[in-house]
Amino acid sequence: MSETVDWGPIRELARRVSTTGARLALTTEAKALLRRTAAEVGISDSEAESALATEEGALGLLSEESRRIREGSHRLMDALHRMYQHKDKGDFGRARQEMRDVLKVEVVPHYRALAEGQLEDMADAP
């Protein structure tokens, strides 16, 4: 998996399917997008392949991918906000704990890497 992620296409697909009622056509391109995104959000290859066997399964996969991206983003942003508040007060222990709490539950590798990076940045702090 690459260092950068581009979730624009999966977000657009999810929006199109959920808000306009468009059918999820299981084209080669759509399947490739769903497979790639599955790996990027911590869904195993076998789970993704199983889901892609049917349109209903693919819709479920799309929904789960979107949920993980959305919830992980909110969780990390909220924790970062609290972390910075703690850091501004000089409480690096609580700041670190915010990132540790994210890591306890986060499954999306990109968000995990960001939280781990924050912890590394505070490694030398009191």
Side-chain angles (χ1 to χ4, degrees):
M1 181 170 48
S2 67
E3 290 283 324
T4 60
V5 294
D6 177 11
W7 288 326
I10 201 73
R11 285 180 171 134
E12 174 56 27
L13 179 60
R15 185 198 62 73
R16 193 170 60 244
V17 169
S18 69
T19 61
T20 67
R23 184 175 164 268
L24 176 58
L26 291 179
T27 64
T28 302
E29 183 180 274
K31 285 183 177 183
L33 176 61
L34 289 164
R35 280 185 190 103
R36 175 179 60 89
T37 305
E40 292 173 347
V41 299
I43 297 172
S44 72
D45 292 343
S46 62
E47 285 179 272
E49 287 306 317
S50 177
L52 290 171
T54 66
E55 187 174 327
E56 182 180 338
L59 284 168
L61 179 62
L62 176 60
S63 176
E64 179 63 14
E65 290 171 352
S66 296
R67 184 191 69 76
R68 288 184 184 200
I69 292 167
R70 182 182 59 257
E71 289 180 6
S73 175
H74 291 153
R75 180 175 22 258
L76 181 61
M77 292 299 107
D78 291 347
L80 284 168
H81 176 72
R82 291 187 303 271
M83 180 197 78
Y84 286 122
Q85 288 179 325
H86 294 308
K87 283 174 70 172
D88 288 347
K89 294 176 185 174
D91 190 346
F92 287 91
R94 289 185 70 188
R96 283 186 204 87
Q97 189 59 48
E98 292 293 341
M99 292 302 103
R100 287 187 195 110
D101 290 346
V102 168
L103 290 170
K104 286 179 186 175
V105 297
E106 188 55 61
V107 297
V108 176
H110 179 68
Y111 297 142
R112 289 187 60 80
L114 293 172
E116 289 166 349
Q118 291 297 320
L119 278 173
E120 288 173 19
D121 288 348
M122 291 185 281
D124 295 334

